[in-house]
Amino acid sequence: MTSATNATTGAGLAPLFQPLSFGRRSARNRLVLAPMSVGYANPDGTVTEKEVEHYARRAQGGVGVVVTENFAVSAAGRQMPLQTLVSDESQLPGLSRLASEVKRHGALAVVQIVHAGRYAGPWEDYEKRRRLAPSAIPFELTPGRVVTPQEITPEEIEESIEEFVRAAQLCERAGFDGVGIHAGQGFLLAGFLSPRTNQRTDQWGGDFEGRTRLTLEVLRRVIAATGPDFVVGVHLLSDERVDGGWSLDDSVRLAPLLEEEGAAFLFGAPTTFETMRLPHNAGMLNRRGFSLDDAVALQRVVTIPVVANGALGDPKEAVRVIETRQAQAVGLARPLFTDPDWPHKVQAGTADTVHTCSCETSLCLRTQLTGSVCESWPESARTRGFLGYDEGTGS
């Protein structure tokens, strides 16, 4: 366990704690818990008390907006074995408790909703079910294992749109402030964006207009089906970072169209599960601010908040993003997973007491399938399997 170096006074970091408009909602500051898969749900996809405490504890630590890990819009669109589902009313009680607890601690509560598409699990029996993708293109699912998803039919496309709409409505009924539509990481919507993975010749493929149609239609339909105060944003594949793929120029072209359709915020994240493994992208995710340039490019072309994220846990680097107007908000995933009190400590001028994790062993990633834990937590939290209300991180 280590502590953050180069402490900075709270006054110098004041821009991080200015209010921010998210659609018609107001966040108390510009810090956002960025989506990170932790795998705390029940096997049937319902919310656990462990999951409630995990997210509410981050709200209690002072973050302005809590965005959950991706919750699947259907069982067929689920990737992880302990991933939350937002697909039917049986899930409402747990979802409602989660929303209520996050909001009780003063943060906006937002759910990231996803259909995993070609990456749908369980991966051990991939070939036994239809795995939906824009085109039936073979790819390396895991090192040395090549699989081929099925081409989604027009009827299944309509079903997937309805699943996103139903998921958003369930989140609204549960009391969440909004949703973030996941069009990144190579999941279903991102797969349609990329000319590398979308080789369709119908209205859902071909040129830029055809390949972006599904993402825009999902956004349009979700907004139309929810109330005017419900916040709807997009988590966008900013750059596939591979020749012949979706590029940052494409994202810069799409971002204003998303804003015109009513998107209230944007995340931008580069690479997919496949392209991050390419040699020229090796080590990218461990570099500070690895996706900051993408966020800056998106923020230049929209007026809605772009949430910059990706290894921005140093308070001085985070405040620089806001001060220089590179983006309107800063997303933190692993920094808040490690120390949920990051916002309170930084605002109080005690940034040198923030606990950080080197991520060299990536214990949080290695335990995602069973429930993520952090090697920097107190031993009691590691043993219990989560850091909740009755656990501090020290000073």
Side-chain angles (χ1 to χ4, degrees):
M1 185 179 297
T2 60
S3 294
T5 58
N6 300 322
T8 309
T9 64
L13 299 168
L16 289 173
F17 299 94
Q18 298 168 346
L20 177 66
S21 294
F22 255 51
R24 296 190 183 184
R25 311 276 185 175
S26 179
R28 61 187 169 189
N29 58 48
R30 293 169 184 261
L31 297 171
V32 178
L33 174 65
M36 172 185 167
S37 293
V38 293
Y40 291 162
N42 285 311
D44 66 359
T46 53
V47 171
T48 63
E49 188 62 24
K50 175 180 179 179
E51 189 174 6
V52 170
E53 283 204 33
H54 163 74
Y55 285 111
R57 180 66 180 84
R58 275 71 200 167
Q60 186 183 50
V63 73
V65 183
V66 167
V67 183
T68 70
E69 66 199 284
N70 54 66
F71 290 3
V73 300
S74 67
R78 198 182 190 197
Q79 180 193 17
M80 309 283 266
L82 298 177
Q83 183 178 8
T84 308
L85 283 168
V86 277
S87 57
D88 66 62
E89 297 206 359
S90 67
Q91 295 131 14
L92 268 175
L95 292 167
S96 297
R97 173 151 171 73
L98 175 54
S100 175
E101 280 297 285
V102 169
K103 293 165 70 173
R104 183 169 72 87
H105 292 288
L108 296 183
V110 176
V111 174
Q112 186 184 68
I113 53 177
V114 71
H115 188 299
R118 65 203 269 125
Y119 295 137
W123 290 359
E124 57 267 23
D125 59 356
Y126 192 93
E127 292 82 3
K128 294 180 181 179
R129 282 178 24 202
R130 280 182 65 78
R131 315 293 173 157
L132 304 179
S135 301
I137 298 174
F139 72 101
E140 191 176 53
L141 179 65
T142 55
R145 183 185 177 193
V146 175
V147 297
T148 304
Q150 282 73 43
E151 180 173 303
I152 188 172
T153 67
E155 293 76 20
E156 288 170 325
I157 290 174
E158 178 59 31
E159 289 174 7
S160 72
I161 296 171
E162 293 175 356
E163 287 169 350
F164 274 99
V165 170
R166 181 174 63 247
Q169 290 175 321
L170 285 170
C171 289
E172 184 176 33
R173 288 175 58 194
F176 285 95
D177 296 295
V179 294
I181 296 167
H182 203 332
Q185 289 185 276
F187 293 134
L188 183 63
L189 300 186
F192 272 83
L193 295 176
S194 172
R196 188 178 65 88
T197 54
N198 183 351
Q199 298 180 7
R200 303 176 72 95
T201 57
D202 62 6
Q203 63 173 328
W204 304 104
D207 59 10
F208 177 88
E209 181 180 1
R211 288 183 286 107
T212 60
R213 189 184 306 278
L214 181 56
T215 297
L216 288 166
E217 184 63 16
V218 169
L219 174 63
R220 189 179 298 121
R221 297 261 292 270
V222 165
I223 290 174
T226 53
D229 294 334
F230 194 67
V231 180
V232 182
V234 177
H235 188 122
L236 181 63
L237 174 62
S238 56
D239 190 337
E240 204 171 358
R241 299 203 179 177
V242 63
D243 289 343
W246 177 260
S247 69
L248 183 57
D249 286 342
D250 292 323
S251 290
V252 168
R253 183 179 174 187
L254 177 58
L257 303 179
L258 296 171
E259 182 174 20
E260 287 175 14
E261 290 294 343
F265 65 89
L266 295 177
F267 274 83
T271 72
T272 68
F273 288 108
E274 296 158 71
T275 63
M276 73 171 61
R277 298 199 300 257
L278 296 175
H280 64 271
N281 292 324
M284 183 192 74
L285 300 184
N286 293 324
R287 294 197 293 270
R288 288 185 175 181
F290 64 84
S291 63
L292 180 56
D293 288 346
D294 294 18
V296 171
L298 294 173
Q299 189 67 84
R300 286 195 187 114
V301 296
V302 296
T303 62
I304 57 176
V306 171
V307 183
N309 67 124
L312 292 173
D314 185 313
K316 291 195 294 184
E317 293 180 0
V319 76
R320 191 176 301 116
V321 169
I322 305 302
E323 286 181 321
T324 58
R325 300 183 180 180
Q326 295 179 82
Q328 294 186 42
V330 173
L332 304 172
R334 282 171 181 80
L336 294 178
F337 185 65
T338 300
D339 189 344
D341 294 318
W342 192 106
H344 280 331
K345 291 177 178 180
V346 169
Q347 188 172 24
T350 58
D352 57 338
T353 68
V354 170
H355 288 277
T356 62
C357 178
S358 67
C359 288
E360 292 175 0
T361 57
S362 301
L363 182 60
C364 58
L365 294 176
R366 289 188 283 113
T367 52
Q368 276 182 336
L369 297 181
T370 55
S372 290
V373 296
C374 178
E375 61 187 343
S376 291
W377 286 348
E379 183 177 355
S380 56
R382 294 199 305 273
T383 300
R384 185 173 53 187
F386 70 102
L387 196 154
Y389 281 151
D390 60 348
E391 197 75 62
T393 56
S395 60

